[in-house]
C-alpha cells in the first residue's frame, strides 16, 4: 500500500542554517503531497502542499518540490529560526486516504 | 472563528472504564477523522466518516467506537477493550474524503490510563 518514509531525527541546527528534511513516498497512483508542522502539545498545521509532479509548495520560507522521478518531496528552508523548532510530518493523499510519515523533530539553537 | 474543537485537553481513565473524547467542527466539512499519535511516532488512523450516519474503520479501530449523528460532531469512545489507550488523540476534518484535499486538525486530547 501507499507509504511515506521521512528522514529520522532529531535534527539540531544553529539559527540561520540551511534545512533539508528528506521525504520519499510509495504510491500506486498520483498522490498529492503535504508537509505538516506540529508545535509542542498542539495539533498538526498544514505547512505546504503540492498536487502534481513538478509543483512547488511554499510557505513561511519553506519549500518542497514534487519529484515524480525520484518519488520525493524534500522540505527545505534557507535560514531557520528558533521559532521553527517543531516536529515536521510528510504526508500523501491518494485514493481517499492520507498517510503520514513518522515525523522529524527539528531543534534550532540560537 | 472557524475550526475544530476537541475536549477535554487532558483526560485520565481508570482501567476498565470507557471514556469519550469530543470533537466539534464549524467548518461545514463533510469528512471527519480520528488519529492516534504515540510519542515519537507518526499518526495512525482509527476511524473516519464521509457523511452523517456513516463511518469506516481505519488501521487501528479495535477497542474504539464512534458515532456521526450530526455533521458537526464526531465523538470517539475509547472502550475498556483497548489495551493500551494512553496516547495523544487528534481529530481532523476535510471538505470531503478525496485525494488531494487538505485535512485540518484540532488541538488534540491527551488520554492517560491510571
Amino acid at each position: 500500500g501507499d507509504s511515506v518514509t521521512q528522514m529520522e531525527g532529531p535534527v539540531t541546527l544553529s539559527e540561520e542554517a540551511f534545512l533539508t528534511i528528506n521525504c520519499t513516498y510509495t504510491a500506486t497512483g498520483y498522490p498529492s503531497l503535504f508537509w505538516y508542522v506540529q508545535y509542542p502539545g498542539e495539533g498538526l498545521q498544514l505547512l505546504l502542499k503540492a498536487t502534481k509532479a513538478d509543483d512547488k509548495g511554499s510557505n513561511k520560507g519553506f519549500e518542497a518540490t514534487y519529484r515524480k522521478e525520484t518519488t520525493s518531496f524534500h522540505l527545505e528552508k534557507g535560514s531557520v529560526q528558533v521559532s521553527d523548532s517543531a516536529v515536521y510530518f510528510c504526508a500523501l493523499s491518494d485514493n481517499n486516504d492520507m498517510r503520514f510519515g513518522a515525523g522529524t523533530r527539528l531543534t534550532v539553537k540560537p | 472563528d472557524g475550526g475544530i474543537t476537541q475536549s477535554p485537553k487532558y483526560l485520565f481513565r481508570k482501567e476498565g472504564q470507557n471514556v469519550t473524547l469530543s470533537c466539534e467542527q464549524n467548518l461545514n466539512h463533510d469528512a471527519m477523522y480520528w488519529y492516534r499519535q504515540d510519542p515519537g511516532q507518526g499518526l495512525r488512523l482509527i476511524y473516519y466518516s464521509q457523511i452523517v450516519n456513516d463511518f469506516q474503520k481505519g488501521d487501528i479501530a479495535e477497542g474504539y467506537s464512534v458515532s456521526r449523528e450530526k455533521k458537526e460532531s464526531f465523538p470517539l469512545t475509547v472502550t475498556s477493550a483497548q489495551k493500551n489507550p494512553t496516547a495523544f488523540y487528534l481529530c481532523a476534518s476535510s471538505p470531503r474524503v478525496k485525494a488531494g484535499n487538505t485535512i485540518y486538525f484540532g488541538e488534540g486530547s491527551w488520554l492517560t490510563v491510571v
Side-chain angles (χ1 to χ4, degrees):
Chain A
D2 294 356
S3 66
V4 174
T5 302
Q6 49 181 117
M7 143 186 191
E8 288 190 18
V11 174
T12 302
L13 296 172
S14 297
E15 206 165 24
E16 299 183 2
F18 184 86
L19 169 71
T20 299
I21 300 178
N22 290 339
C23 172
T24 57
Y25 67 90
T26 302
T28 52
Y30 300 93
S32 294
L33 301 173
F34 303 79
W35 277 101
Y36 282 85
V37 59
Q38 184 178 35
Y39 299 101
E42 298 184 8
L44 277 67
Q45 302 174 24
L46 177 69
L47 183 57
L48 53 84
K49 68 185 277 189
T51 57
K52 61 182 187 296
D54 299 324
D55 270 1
K56 178 186 283 188
S58 61
N59 186 26
K60 300 181 182 178
F62 291 90
E63 293 183 341
T65 301
Y66 190 140
R67 301 285 188 201
K68 188 168 181 290
E69 63 275 14
T70 54
T71 61
S72 66
F73 193 55
H74 305 320
L75 183 68
E76 296 182 336
K77 186 174 185 182
S79 176
V80 294
Q81 306 300 312
V82 173
S83 57
D84 293 327
S85 297
V87 180
Y88 292 82
F89 291 91
C90 186
L92 70 79
S93 172
D94 191 15
N95 296 325
N96 299 332
D97 195 5
M98 182 170 273
R99 297 285 170 173
F100 290 85
T104 302
R105 181 176 299 279
L106 169 66
T107 301
V108 180
K109 295 187 174 181
Chain B
D1 287 346
I4 301 169
T5 302
Q6 291 187 236
S7 62
K9 179 72 173 178
Y10 301 95
L11 184 60
F12 296 90
R13 189 195 94 170
K14 294 182 180 179
E15 288 195 20
Q17 280 184 337
N18 293 354
V19 293
T20 297
L21 306 179
S22 169
C23 178
E24 304 278 332
Q25 54 98 359
N26 60 5
L27 300 168
N28 200 32
H29 285 171
D30 287 327
M32 297 188 74
Y33 313 79
W34 275 105
Y35 289 89
R36 170 179 171 144
Q37 184 179 22
D38 291 283
Q41 297 189 30
L43 281 68
R44 292 183 290 170
L45 182 64
I46 305 172
Y47 269 98
Y48 67 97
S49 168
Q50 300 186 57
I51 196 169
V52 173
N53 292 324
D54 180 70
F55 46 84
Q56 308 295 328
K57 292 182 179 180
D59 298 324
I60 55 165
E62 185 176 352
Y64 299 97
S65 66
V66 293
S67 62
R68 187 84 187 276
E69 297 177 2
K70 298 186 299 182
K71 186 176 183 177
E72 306 80 33
S73 179
F74 191 42
L76 174 73
T77 297
V78 184
T79 75
S80 57
Q82 171 49 238
K83 298 306 179 188
N84 185 23
T86 296
F88 189 48
Y89 290 87
L90 287 159
C91 180
S93 71
S94 68
R96 57 186 184 277
V97 177
K98 177 179 179 293
N101 264 342
T102 300
I103 291 181
Y104 298 89
F105 287 85
E107 293 294 303
S109 293
W110 290 94
L111 173 62
T112 303
V113 173
V114 295

